[in-house]
């Protein structure tokens, strides 16, 4: 665990998952703010809260089956998560279509849409620490592993506000999907693994909820390419950490975690005001902007909530029920 950096120490600095690596790919400086300093906007993002609440509802349906009663129970799971962030139901309409009323109708529609499908749910909520090379691991959690059409699939619940081509096409080369595939190949014989299915739900004001499932198949050679690429990105993060260890707040420029100006206009940058004036953010550590809090993303917390843990035994991952749940 590193303690040689000129920033407040936090135990998550050495912990990596697909989400942190994707943040680095988007913009290394954004990664620095989010995952080295842990600065996060105080306000809840409706998209993240809704996605997380929808995920809880899906988890209930995958564990208990598709029925009207289970849809009603799944809605209660949804609501419990949603109300943690938005306790006042008088403001729900301002967040439409990411609101409880739309979710309630969507769950009923979801059950009707998929009730006839034939599959066997083997595991839900599987957390793993997956090796990507000797002495290097990634943390991962997949939503469900199913036997379907004679093979094994991981299903991942995703929501969006647009059923756009870029949204549908992104999954085939997204690092997060490769991590799920790597988990499957690490736990099961390769000839049984089919791939990952995005269990997508699109929420729009005009149409309410629409559903689609997007299969992403990976071959063993795709996994070889993934392992080279993911290690490249982790090497980059570690190189920037080394540079950071040698940087002082008296330096005019912080020569690590460079800004990626191509990402500034992308939906979702949480630090739009910081990069135009700060050449060395280490000089500003005492000036966290108003509206931000320190809250480090820690993938290990999700592992504590998982139903199953995949542990390395020999050269395979073995999926076991968490001891507390047995
Ligand atoms: S404003 Fe641009 S350079 Fe700065 S963190 Fe966001 S994406 Fe990166």
């Amino acid at each position: 665990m590193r303690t040689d950096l000129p920033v407040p120490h936090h135990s998550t600095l050495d912990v990596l998952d697909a989400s942190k690596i994707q943040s680095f790919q988007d913009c290394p400086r954004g990664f620095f703010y989010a995952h080295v300093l842990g600065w996060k906007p105080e306000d809840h993002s409706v998209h993240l809260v809704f996605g997380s609440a929808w995920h809880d509802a899906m988890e209930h349906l995958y564990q208990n089956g598709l029925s009207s009663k289970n849809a009603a129970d799944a809605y209660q799971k949804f609501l419990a998560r949603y109300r943690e962030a938005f306790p006042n139901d008088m403001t729900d309409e301002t967040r439409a279509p990411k609101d409880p009323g739309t979710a309630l109708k969507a769950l009923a529609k979801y059950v009707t849409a998929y009730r006839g499908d034939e599959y066997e749910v083997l595991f839900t909520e599987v957390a793993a620490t997956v090796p990507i090379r000797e002495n290097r691991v990634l943390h991962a959690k997949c939503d469900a592993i199913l036997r379907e059409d004679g093979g094994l699939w991981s299903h991942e619940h995703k929501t969006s506000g647009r059923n756009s081509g870029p949204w549908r096409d992104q999954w085939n080369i997204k690092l997060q999907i490769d991590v799920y595939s790597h988990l499957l190949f690490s736990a099961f014989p390769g000839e049984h693994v089919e791939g990952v299915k995005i269990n997508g739900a699109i929420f729009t004001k005009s149409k309410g909820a629409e559903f689609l499932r997007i299969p992403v198949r990976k071959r063993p050679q795709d996994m070889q390419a993934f392992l080279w690429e993911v290690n490249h990105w982790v090497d980059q993060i570690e190189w920037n950490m080394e540079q950071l260890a040698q940087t002082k707040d008296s330096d005019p420029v912080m020569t690590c975690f460079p800004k990626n100006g191509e990402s500034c206009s992308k939906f979702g940058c949480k630090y739009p005001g910081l990069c135009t004036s700060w050449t060395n953010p280490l000089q500003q550590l005492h000036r966290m902007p108003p509206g931000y809090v320190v809250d480090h993303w820690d993938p290990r917390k999700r592992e504590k909530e998982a139903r199953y843990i995949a542990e390395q035994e020999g050269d395979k991952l073995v999926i076991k029920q968490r001891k507390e749940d047995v």
Side-chain angles (χ1 to χ4, degrees):
M1 194 178 296
R2 2 191 11 142
T3 54
D4 58 341
L5 301 176
V7 295
H9 175 68
H10 196 272
S11 68
T12 57
L13 286 172
D14 299 319
V15 178
L16 285 176
D17 68 348
S19 156
K20 286 180 79 168
I21 297 172
Q22 285 172 184
S23 157
F24 182 85
Q25 290 173 320
D26 274 345
C27 176
R29 187 58 55 92
F31 176 97
F32 173 79
Y33 288 128
H35 298 300
V36 179
L37 299 184
W39 289 3
K40 190 179 145 195
E42 201 169 12
D43 287 345
H44 293 289
S45 153
V46 64
H47 308 294
L48 291 182
V49 171
F50 188 89
S52 173
W54 182 256
H55 176 278
D56 288 0
M58 287 293 109
E59 183 187 343
H60 185 81
L61 292 179
Y62 272 69
Q63 284 170 3
N64 297 284
L66 297 176
S67 69
S68 301
K69 179 189 178 307
N70 288 338
D73 293 342
Y75 176 67
Q76 293 308 319
K77 301 269 178 185
F78 170 95
L79 210 52
R81 180 74 71 175
Y82 194 86
R83 288 281 173 252
E84 283 173 13
F86 304 121
N88 183 358
D89 62 3
M90 303 293 284
T91 62
D92 284 350
E93 274 185 25
T94 62
R95 291 182 290 274
K98 304 275 178 86
D99 64 299
T102 306
L104 179 61
K105 286 185 208 143
L107 285 166
K109 191 173 169 186
Y110 182 92
V111 165
T112 305
Y114 291 121
R115 200 179 338 224
D117 286 10
E118 290 187 12
Y119 53 80
E120 179 190 0
V121 179
L122 303 177
F123 308 101
T124 56
E125 302 299 305
V126 181
T129 308
V130 198
I132 53 172
R133 78 173 192 204
E134 199 176 348
N135 299 324
R136 185 178 271 179
V137 296
L138 279 190
H139 294 259
K141 185 163 163 228
C142 80
D143 290 338
I145 297 175
L146 289 80
R147 194 185 310 282
E148 187 180 11
D149 303 330
L152 295 169
W153 291 90
S154 147
H155 277 209
E156 303 302 325
H157 316 312
K158 302 289 180 192
T159 56
S160 175
R162 286 182 66 198
N163 186 2
S164 63
W167 186 83
R168 291 191 302 273
D169 294 343
Q170 65 180 309
W171 309 108
N172 207 29
I173 51 167
K174 205 170 177 67
L175 186 117
Q176 189 183 41
I177 302 307
D178 282 343
V179 173
Y180 299 140
S181 304
H182 182 49
L183 194 161
L184 286 177
F185 276 106
S186 302
F188 301 101
E191 63 272 23
H192 297 175
V193 174
E194 288 288 341
V196 177
K197 263 189 201 174
I198 302 303
N199 179 35
I202 315 292
F203 293 87
T204 55
K205 277 191 178 173
S206 57
K207 295 183 182 167
E210 296 172 274
F211 308 112
L212 71 170
R213 291 202 172 143
I214 304 171
V216 182
R217 285 189 165 81
K218 295 287 173 177
R219 303 160 301 173
Q221 59 266 43
D222 297 322
M223 292 296 93
Q224 280 181 314
F226 155 73
L227 285 172
W228 179 82
E229 283 164 7
V230 73
N231 278 294
H232 165 82
W233 289 108
V234 177
D235 287 344
Q236 294 289 316
I237 292 171
E238 289 186 351
W239 182 88
N240 278 276
M241 287 289 192
E242 290 304 325
Q243 292 299 112
L244 178 62
Q246 293 163 35
T247 309
K248 298 190 271 313
D249 60 3
S250 55
D251 294 344
V253 172
M254 187 175 88
T255 52
C256 56
F257 295 105
K259 299 187 278 265
N260 176 9
E262 293 302 312
S263 282
C264 301
S265 58
K266 269 173 69 175
F267 173 79
C269 178
K270 304 181 184 86
Y271 311 99
L274 308 189
C275 290
T276 44
S277 51
W278 295 358
T279 55
N280 183 352
L282 297 178
Q283 296 166 357
Q284 314 292 340
L285 296 187
H286 60 291
R287 286 181 47 197
M288 185 168 65
Y292 287 81
V293 291
V294 174
D295 182 6
H296 287 265
W297 165 244
D298 188 348
R300 296 167 302 182
K301 275 191 196 159
R302 298 165 78 222
E303 287 165 20
K304 288 188 189 129
E305 294 163 5
R307 276 195 132 195
Y308 293 90
I309 297 287
E311 291 176 332
Q312 194 77 31
E313 287 187 10
D315 62 350
K316 278 281 171 205
L317 287 177
V318 177
I319 301 175
K320 299 173 180 173
Q321 195 159 4
R322 280 174 58 88
K323 288 200 173 62
E324 296 90 310
D325 299 333
V326 173

